[in-house]
Amino acid sequence: MTLTSAPAPAAKEDSAGPRRSVLAGVGGQNLSLVGALIGVLALFGLLNDNYLSLSNMQVIAEAATITGLLALVQTVVIICGGLDISVGSQVGVASVVSAMVFAGSGSNALLGMAAALAVGVLVGLLNGLVIVYGRVNPTIATLAGLAAYKGLAQLLSDGRAQGYVLNNDVFVFLGRGRIAGLPVMVWILIVVALAVHLLLKYTDIGRNIYAVGGNDTAARLAGININKYLVCVYVLVGVVAAIAGILLTARTGSGQPTSGSEGLELKAITAAALGGCALKGGKGGIGGTLLAVALLGALENGLTVEGINTFWQNVAQGALLVVAVVIQQRRNGERAVGLPH
């Protein structure tokens, strides 16, 4: 009896095996995001005939580029067990510096960009040193940076847009150029995403970043220099935030101390959380983050096209962040705060 009944379960396992392999490869979180993205596109496509047009898809992609860049590095920070709430303000400082140096150097675009990147390195290094050697909680340290860098951008610019860069071919190419039909900004996002993905998945550096976020004690015992990794990760954030600031300048035509950069930190954190990053560290990936960025961009554009009050976009982002955290807790089997086991 046992011999004749044994093959039945094996057959079920064989038939279910390929499905399990596909689900494991893609990830349940990513499949949920794909489904949500298709739903948003279908909904607004039915409500507005122009929503799914090629031109509007390019508008969504361009608008999501800066958020996407910040979400990518926010993903790396969260995987490493940290958080950076100051990314939006960093973008504002870099934007102002790029435009002011450009204007003050006789319209030298490369010098303006180099200055912005240098500021990004310094700001990221400062965040990392405060967190590591000042032993300040990353949330508190970067919350202070959010206020400080915003104030610095306003002091440098006197609270006004600075410079005018649309008379320069380099900035015009970055902000409005096309390569193979895609905006240059989108290509930059693709290149950065690919580089970060390769770093995390196929290098010892990436594996060590996951190890630091997953269990810093075990990582330290394994000989990983945790302080060095944390500082370098925050420097990476500063560099990519500077790139985003340069793109903001190119897109708007001038250095923006707050306009265009305010609220980016919430979008970046929301995208990373929706993409599957465990806020405790050690888990996450670039694919899920990019899908979440696309979802947020499609939702924001759809609300705008339908003439819905822009304040509702903030409500939607906050709600999505809560939903993402709740889903994570349920999947990880974590106890809800304040409730018994």
Side-chain angles (χ1 to χ4, degrees), residues 117-279:
L117 289 171
V119 168
V121 171
L122 290 175
V123 168
L125 182 62
L126 179 60
N127 278 349
L129 292 177
V130 168
I131 291 167
V132 171
Y133 296 105
R135 299 184 182 276
V136 180
N137 181 281
T139 303
I140 301 301
T142 56
L143 183 60
L146 170 68
Y149 305 143
K150 179 179 178 180
L152 178 60
Q154 291 172 326
L155 284 170
L156 291 172
S157 64
D158 199 23
R160 299 191 301 267
Q162 293 292 315
Y164 179 75
V165 302
L166 293 184
N167 57 354
N168 180 269
D169 292 340
V170 176
F171 276 110
V172 170
F173 177 70
L174 288 176
R176 307 184 180 188
R178 295 282 191 277
I179 298 177
L182 275 179
V184 172
M185 294 177 64
V186 176
W187 280 113
I188 292 173
L189 174 62
I190 292 171
V191 170
V192 173
L194 182 60
V196 174
H197 174 71
L198 293 175
L199 174 73
L200 289 176
K201 292 296 184 183
Y202 300 106
T203 68
D204 289 337
I205 294 173
R207 285 185 281 273
N208 289 343
I209 287 173
Y210 278 102
V212 170
N215 189 326
D216 58 347
T217 301
R220 186 179 290 107
L221 292 174
I224 299 174
N225 190 330
I226 294 177
N227 291 347
K228 181 180 73 174
Y229 272 89
L230 284 172
V231 171
C232 288
V233 162
Y234 280 98
V235 170
L236 174 65
V237 174
V239 170
V240 175
I243 294 173
I246 292 168
L247 294 181
L248 177 62
T249 299
R251 191 173 180 221
T252 60
S254 58
Q256 302 292 332
T258 54
S259 179
S261 61
E262 205 161 26
L264 287 176
E265 54 282 331
L266 174 62
K267 292 181 180 180
I269 295 170
T270 301
L274 276 174
C277 281
L279 296 181

Side-chain angles (χ1 to χ4, degrees), residues 73-86:
V73 285
Q74 193 73 253
T75 297
V76 178
V77 174
I78 293 174
I79 290 172
C80 200
L83 191 69
D84 196 334
I85 305 177
S86 67

